[in-house]
Amino acid sequence: MDHAGMWADLRGWHAQHIAYALATVVDATGSAPRSPGASMAVNADGVVIGSISGGCVEGAVYDLCLEVLHTGTPACEKFGYSDSDAFAVGLTCGGELQVFVHHITLEEYPAIESALSDVDPVALVRDLQTGEIGVITRQRIAGTALEVAVAQQASAMLDSAVTGVRLVGCNGAQRTVFIESLTSPPHLIICGATDFSAALCRVGHVLGYRVTLCDARPVFATHSRFPEADNVVVDWPHRYLARAETDGRTAVCVLTHDPKFDIPALQLALRLPIEYVGAMGSRRADSERRSRLRAAGLTEGEIARLHSPIGLQLGGRTPDEVAIAIGAELVTVRHGGTTRPLCDTDSPIHAAPDSRPTPARSGVDD
């Protein structure tokens, strides 16, 4: 579910006690345009929130939502490419989406609202036969009561930030459930209050990061100069990194061009269990930087983690162009991309959904 974008509207529907049908992609294969968890809501007046395919099958899913609203019976349908009829409902990209639609009523509001909260990681569980909903957090079970086996499966998937369909139980007690792990946004820490940093704040926001801008100079590190940063910290970058909350999805981009800022920050960042560490500078500056890091005691393995000069070689020079090159490298590292043009490759455009963590809560992708 694309939570940030849907939350305001769904909250309004809940306040007005408006029932609606929620359509969710529960499985995707091939070059399907959206990953499991993408959702679209439709109320009885035909008002739509969100998107599940970027346009390929929206009309058919919209009709299915209205049908489920009328009958109250959950529905699960597959939409794929049809080569026998070019005008048939399907995915021209050649992939396949499995979409589950169920009727959300007042009884399901607490579970949905708990899942839409961005305070703690949660697993939203949906029974694909009955439409029953439950929410698992690391501290408690909320919403509809769930069997222990389902709760344990959801808890394990939440720990790994994995989303997917699971068959839980044995013999006649099996349940097919869709478990959606919902986590907070990944953290992008930008060191240095420069024009390039301001542009990267914008790109990081678009990519769904929680963006922190850090610089020790209070005259430069201001909210007015970096309005698209979620947090502006006035401190030495290495001191902030020492206390910041980081995890395996965190990215640190050092854009200061100044060794007295760069080296202490990189010395710490390269030893943290985070996803990405990059630093801006020319090839000469990069060579000198790596020498300074060796002198500071970093191993060759630790230095090899450094993406420097930062970004992909897209050829741009302006702050916005450089920020896009850095953002492209962040996407490449996260998803294991090749950086080659798609027209020069013949592998699947999208990785198999089950092989990657679910995206963080983000805005609706129309």
Side-chain angles (χ1 to χ4, degrees):
M1 186 185 299
D2 294 317
H3 298 271
M6 294 185 74
W7 171 227
D9 288 332
L10 288 185
R11 189 177 184 180
W13 285 2
H14 289 188
Q16 299 174 61
H17 293 175
I18 295 175
Y20 57 93
L22 185 64
T24 303
V25 176
V26 298
D27 194 20
T29 59
S31 296
R34 301 296 302 277
S35 300
S39 294
M40 181 175 81
V42 180
N43 68 20
D45 292 329
V47 178
V48 178
I49 301 172
S51 171
I52 56 100
S53 74
C56 301
V57 298
E58 303 313 77
V61 174
Y62 175 83
D63 291 339
L64 186 59
C65 286
L66 294 179
E67 179 182 335
V68 168
L69 276 172
H70 177 70
T71 64
T73 303
C76 194
E77 291 194 11
K78 289 185 177 181
F79 299 90
Y81 177 71
S82 174
D83 57 5
S84 60
D85 183 354
F87 294 96
V89 173
L91 301 178
T92 55
C93 56
E96 184 176 82
L97 293 176
Q98 184 175 4
V99 179
F100 178 67
V101 182
H102 58 307
H103 189 186
I104 304 297
T105 61
L106 271 65
E107 290 74 18
E108 285 78 40
Y109 284 179
I112 296 294
E113 290 185 5
S114 178
L116 288 166
S117 170
D118 61 358
V119 176
D120 297 309
V122 300
L124 180 62
V125 182
R126 276 160 280 188
D127 187 302
L128 296 188
Q129 277 79 44
T130 67
E132 184 181 6
I133 299 176
V135 172
I136 304 296
T137 72
R138 293 194 173 103
Q139 293 80 30
R140 69 189 189 283
I141 299 176
T144 307
L146 298 170
E147 289 91 340
V148 173
V150 175
Q152 290 175 338
Q153 177 70 64
S155 179
M157 293 174 68
L158 179 59
D159 285 342
S160 302
V162 172
T163 287
V165 176
R166 296 293 185 270
L167 185 63
V168 181
C170 58
N171 299 326
Q174 289 180 323
R175 297 180 68 176
T176 302
V177 295
F178 175 64
I179 300 173
E180 183 182 359
S181 295
L182 305 169
T183 60
S184 58
H187 195 184
L188 172 60
I189 300 172
I190 303 172
C191 303
T194 70
D195 289 345
F196 293 97
S197 300
L200 186 55
C201 285
R202 294 191 290 272
V203 170
H205 178 74
V206 169
L207 292 178
Y209 283 93
R210 175 171 58 92
V211 180
T212 295
L213 184 285
C214 180
D215 195 297
R217 302 166 297 176
V219 67
F220 295 113
T222 64
H223 286 283
S224 61
R225 293 190 70 230
F226 300 94
E228 286 167 290
D230 297 287
N231 191 25
V232 176
V233 176
V234 180
D235 201 349
W236 285 77
H238 71 280
R239 294 201 305 199
Y240 171 69
L241 285 174
R243 68 176 187 272
E245 291 186 7
T246 60
D247 59 26
R249 302 176 302 149
T250 300
V252 173
C253 296
V254 178
L255 310 183
T256 49
H257 289 292
D258 189 335
K260 69 176 178 288
F261 288 97
D262 291 4
I263 300 305
L266 291 172
Q267 187 176 353
L268 177 57
L270 290 170
R271 287 172 169 166
L272 291 174
I274 59 181
E275 184 173 70
Y276 177 94
V277 181
M280 176 176 281
S282 66
R283 297 197 183 278
R284 178 180 175 180
D286 173 59
S287 178
E288 293 177 353
R289 179 187 294 128
R290 291 175 187 269
S291 295
R292 290 174 183 269
L293 290 172
R294 291 186 187 95
L298 269 70
T299 67
E300 291 301 320
E302 290 168 337
I303 295 173
R305 296 184 59 212
L306 177 61
H307 294 265
S308 174
I310 196 170
L312 300 185
Q313 191 173 24
L314 302 185
R317 301 176 64 91
T318 68
D320 285 332
E321 290 171 336
V322 170
I324 289 172
I326 297 171
E329 187 170 53
L330 291 172
V331 173
T332 298
V333 170
R334 165 146 303 174
H335 297 288
T338 67
T339 74
R340 296 171 57 197
L342 287 173
C343 61
D344 289 344
T345 66
D346 56 9
S347 58
I349 293 175
H350 303 294
D354 286 345
S355 69
R356 61 184 183 233
T358 190
R361 296 180 174 96
S362 60
V364 172
D365 179 4
D366 291 320

